Each structure stands twice: as C-alpha cells, then as structure tokens.
Amino acid sequence: MTRPDDQTRQQPEAMMPAKTLLDETAQGVFTIAATPFLPDGALDIESLDSMVDFYEARGATGLTILGIMGEAGKLSAKESGIVIDRVTARASVPVVVGVSAPGLAGIKAMADTAMERGAAGVMVAPPATLRTDDQIIGYFQMVAEVLGKTPWVLQDFPLVTEVQMTPRVIRTIMDSCPTCVMLKHEDWPGLEKISTLRRQEAEGARRISILCGNGGMFLLEEMLRGADGAMTGFAYPEMMAEVVRLTKAEDEGRARDVFDAYLPLMRYESQPGLGLAIRKHILAKRGAIAHATVRRPGTVLSAATLEEIETLIARQEARLAALG
C-alpha cells in the first residue's frame, strides 16, 4: 500500500464541472470536504483548489460539499455559491452538494444552483421537527417533488438530526421517490439497518447506493454488511479508498490490517466538538489546505491535544511501515 505522504499531488484531467448524474451505482469514497478559511475567517479560495486535488490524488471517487462537517451553516448564500462554483469547476469526479434548509423553497433554490453549475446530485437531511414515520415519509415526498428530476441523497444521521428512520421508512421513501438514489448511512449503531435494506433488495426491492459516514469508524464492518463505500471526512481518505478496494476484492484480512492501522487516529478525530478542528489541523499539516481555521464559533486545539495528535500520527506511520 502506498504511504500517505509519498503520493504526488495530481492535477485532475478535466477542469470542467462533472456531467455524470448521481445514480444507484455510485460506490467508492465520496469524501465530505472541509471548507477552508483564512486565519481571519474569510473563505480561502485557493485552498478549495488544493483540497480538491488532495482528495482526488488519494482515491476519492466523488466529493460532497456543504455538509455538516463542511460548516455549511456558517456560510452566507454568496459564499456557498462560491464554494459550489470553485469545487465543481476543479473536480474531475462527481460532486454532491448538501442543500438541507428549513424550508423547501431554500432547498430548491440551492439545488437548482448546484445542478446548473455541474453538480452530480444533492443531499438532504430531515429537519429535527419531524416526529412520526408518516411525517418523515411525507416530508421527503415533498422534497422529491420540489427537486423534480434532480437525483438526491437521503441523509440518515439521527445522532445530529434527532430524527430516527427505520428501514421500513427508508424503503417507503425510496419506493415512492425514484429520484432518491442513495442513502448516506450514518446511524449508530446501524449495521443491522444496512443488512435489512440489502435483504429487502434481495427480495425484489429497488437497489440503492449506500455510502456510510461516522468518520469511517465502522467502515470495515459496513462494507462487509453490503455498503458501497464511504461518504465521510477522515483526514486520511486513502485509508477509506484502500479498505473499500480490499473488501470488494474479498481480501478481508488485508482490509482489517489497513483499517486497524488508522483506527486510533480515527477514534480521536471523532470526538464531538473537537473532530472538525482535529481534521482541519491534519489536513493543513498534510498540505491539503493552507490553514486549520475553523470558522467561529469553533474550537481551538490546546497544546496537549496537538501533542496527542502528533503521537497518534507517528504511531500510525510506524504501523503502516510495518504493513509494507
């Protein structure tokens, strides 16, 4: 396996927006992209380019922007448009844009902008006001109606949204909304949900793509349960790409070795409230972005935390060297 920082940054072959629309065959690693900022909190335009190059050089088969970990809620509408323009122009892989908003008009406006500028699809999370199964199903049926022909991703992240979606609810949404082509699976625990959805497909239900989140902490088990890949933002996307490749090649032993080598740092990066600052620090250290700035309100890492990160990285590099 290639060591993380031995890889040479590659320029994408095409500098035009992705034209391929998202569908149920999507697989691999759709990296949840950070949004880079300058030290004063302004949008770092140049780092958007270097970040796209970094992710693609390390195995990303797609990018997801303006998600929760992309600090979408801290951006103005103008800044969101700049991010969409820059990333879709730079990327040679499909780009999914998070368009979650309090109202359907906002979702439609952002989705229309994203698709006009070359996005492959959009992602929508449920608002926290939904309480019953019927409310959840009805809401996403309205989302599908306002999105029209735009392919979209159903984001299932109950630890943040506080909306619990059972496999039956997800299947009902998929069956009634053919433009919903992917589940962004981020339930925890959620492995049984993946198994149930794949069992439904084996019994004749429509196939959907399932990409998983939670910082990659359960990616190995998720792949073995039938997921198609990852849609998350660990600072070492090459790990996710390698684990996906190896599990698809049915090399479970090697996949476990690779996964285990990165697990301590993944665990550390997954700390609530600290994770984004840790991820951005590592991305800056690796040259993906120029600055580790988290836009205010955000967390500033202590000297003790920085020391712990360095220790984990050093031990990770030693484990990777031993793997060869």
Side-chain angles (χ1 to χ4, degrees):
M1 186 180 70
T2 306
R3 293 282 302 283
D5 293 308
D6 289 341
Q7 300 192 38
T8 302
R9 179 176 300 162
Q10 301 170 359
Q11 295 294 325
E13 295 179 0
M15 302 300 285
M16 297 296 291
K19 299 299 183 182
T20 303
L21 294 180
L22 195 68
D23 64 25
E24 69 281 357
T25 66
Q27 59 182 314
V29 177
F30 277 59
T31 303
I32 296 284
T35 301
F37 299 104
L38 298 170
D40 64 0
L43 197 61
D44 185 352
I45 305 298
E46 292 186 2
S47 283
L48 285 169
D49 291 346
S50 62
M51 180 185 66
V52 169
D53 295 348
F54 172 89
Y55 287 140
E56 290 193 8
R58 286 156 180 80
T61 55
L63 296 174
T64 302
I65 60 174
L66 303 183
I68 293 171
M69 294 299 278
E71 300 178 81
K74 300 178 184 178
L75 299 178
S76 67
K78 180 179 179 180
E79 288 173 325
S80 295
I82 291 171
V83 172
I84 294 170
D85 280 343
R86 196 79 176 197
V87 173
T88 54
R90 185 76 173 184
S92 61
V93 295
V95 177
V96 174
V97 179
V99 298
S100 301
L104 295 178
I107 290 174
K108 177 173 172 52
M110 181 67 81
D112 287 349
T113 297
M115 299 307 291
E116 287 168 2
R117 297 175 185 181
V122 301
M123 181 169 67
V124 185
T129 53
L130 303 179
R131 289 291 178 265
T132 69
D133 289 353
D134 287 346
Q135 288 174 343
I136 297 168
I137 293 167
Y139 174 79
F140 281 110
Q141 288 173 339
M142 288 189 289
V143 166
E145 181 180 351
V146 300
L147 290 180
K149 296 181 180 180
T150 297
W152 56 282
V153 179
L154 172 63
Q155 185 173 12
D156 181 20
F157 196 5
L159 276 72
V160 170
T161 64
E162 299 183 352
V163 176
Q164 297 287 340
M165 289 188 277
T166 66
R168 184 191 68 81
V169 167
I170 293 171
R171 181 54 58 192
T172 301
I173 294 169
M174 297 295 175
D175 289 345
S176 60
C177 305
T179 50
C180 183
V181 298
M182 179 188 292
L183 174 67
K184 198 284 179 80
H185 173 275
E186 209 155 11
D187 204 349
W188 180 356
L191 295 174
E192 294 299 329
K193 182 179 287 187
I194 297 173
S195 295
T196 299
L197 292 169
R198 289 304 190 214
R199 184 167 60 251
Q200 291 170 348
E201 291 171 6
E203 294 169 353
R206 177 170 75 93
R207 191 192 191 282
I208 56 172
S209 171
I210 300 177
L211 299 186
C212 300
N214 285 319
M217 284 211 300
F218 305 99
L219 180 59
L220 190 285
E221 291 82 10
E222 288 161 346
M223 291 299 298
L224 295 175
R225 292 287 188 121
D228 295 297
M231 184 184 276
T232 194
F234 181 49
Y236 289 82
E238 61 267 38
M239 179 281 295
M240 297 184 288
E242 187 75 348
V243 169
V244 169
R245 183 187 70 81
L246 289 167
T247 52
K248 286 185 176 296
E250 299 184 353
D251 191 349
E252 182 180 333
R254 178 70 177 182
R256 288 188 180 277
D257 289 341
V258 172
F259 184 76
D260 291 349
Y262 289 91
L263 188 55
L265 187 58
M266 259 195 298
R267 172 191 60 84
Y268 196 83
E269 192 191 277
S270 296
Q271 295 179 83
L274 276 181
L276 179 59
I278 293 169
R279 183 176 302 165
K280 281 192 157 183
H281 170 78
I282 299 172
L283 289 174
K285 176 183 175 68
R286 302 190 72 200
I289 56 179
H291 311 281
T293 309
V294 176
R295 181 172 269 190
R296 300 176 65 185
T299 303
V300 177
L301 302 180
S302 69
T305 297
L306 294 174
E307 183 178 351
E308 288 164 352
I309 293 169
E310 292 303 313
T311 297
L312 289 168
I313 291 174
R315 291 179 64 82
Q316 176 176 286
E317 291 178 347
R319 285 190 295 271
L320 290 171
L323 281 177

